[in-house]
Amino acid sequence: MFLRSADKHGREAEKNLDLRIRKTRRAIRSGLVKACQAKPYAHVSVADICRASMVSRTTFYDHYTDKDALLAEVVSFLLEEITPALEGLWFGEGRDARAVARHLADVYARNGQALKTLLAIRVGGEGDLHEQLYRTCCSVFTDWARGRVDDEVLPLAADVYASVVLTFIERSAIKPLTDNELAAIDRARELFIAGFEAQ
């Protein structure tokens, strides 16, 4: 049953599958987003997802155990695209931070409708994009800040950083960021770094 019972989600788990299977799974993932745009996730049924993706229930269940497993995979795909750019902002020494921010903004703009829809879904766990992004941001920042920031202050600093990034993502999902906004975000990041390095 393909990836139905797999523990792994995302591109890595899907890369060796037949093209037809990947296309079907892509249609089902898009169907979930479309269905969630029409009504809240809690009220979306597998039948709604099947209608939106134009697949049968049998096909849906060939690929996913339930809508929560599907949601977890959609979130996994988005995180796979966003996480490297978040890491690049802090660990990409010698890289143009504004170019990384532009890449992030492009990711958000390209996935804007899905991000906007999925950020509104609060289910907890693997399927909660908001929670997963928050954890990812805290983790990336904590890895960078360890040794630079007092351990007592680190959780609060990571929380502030994660909140700022989530605001950035939510804003980018609604309307693409301008070059001036990206420049302001980059200056704020530089001030953030300078403030910690001055301690």
Side-chain angles (χ1 to χ4, degrees), residues 41-184:
Y41 177 76
H43 300 292
V44 169
S45 66
V46 169
D48 295 328
I49 297 166
C50 291
R51 256 191 308 282
S53 56
M54 297 179 8
V55 301
S56 69
R57 286 176 67 88
T58 302
T59 300
F60 178 91
Y61 285 113
D62 279 347
H63 296 278
Y64 301 99
T65 53
D66 55 24
K67 71 176 189 175
D68 293 337
L70 170 59
L71 179 62
E73 183 171 277
V74 171
V75 167
S76 177
F77 267 81
L78 287 169
L79 286 173
E80 281 182 29
E81 198 165 350
I82 293 170
T83 302
L86 289 174
E87 291 169 343
L89 285 172
W90 296 99
F91 298 107
E93 294 177 26
R95 292 173 62 190
D96 178 9
R98 196 173 307 174
V100 175
R102 168 51 68 199
H103 170 71
L104 264 175
D106 290 344
V107 168
Y108 305 148
R110 195 168 52 252
N111 296 294
Q113 218 30 53
L115 283 165
K116 184 178 171 190
T117 301
L118 296 171
L119 283 168
I121 299 171
R122 296 295 205 285
V123 292
E126 284 185 49
D128 193 315
L129 180 61
H130 193 276
E131 183 180 313
Q132 293 297 329
L133 277 171
Y134 174 83
R135 286 182 188 169
T136 300
C137 292
C138 285
S139 174
V140 168
F141 179 80
T142 300
D143 288 347
W144 174 83
R146 195 167 280 118
R148 291 181 168 100
V149 180
D150 186 284
D151 286 346
E152 187 179 315
V153 177
L154 188 54
L156 176 61
D159 183 51
V160 168
Y161 171 68
S163 298
V164 168
V165 170
L166 283 169
T167 300
F168 173 53
I169 291 170
E170 288 166 350
R171 169 67 174 73
S172 299
I174 295 166
K175 178 182 163 211
L177 295 172
T178 66
D179 286 335
N180 286 341
E181 289 170 324
L182 285 170

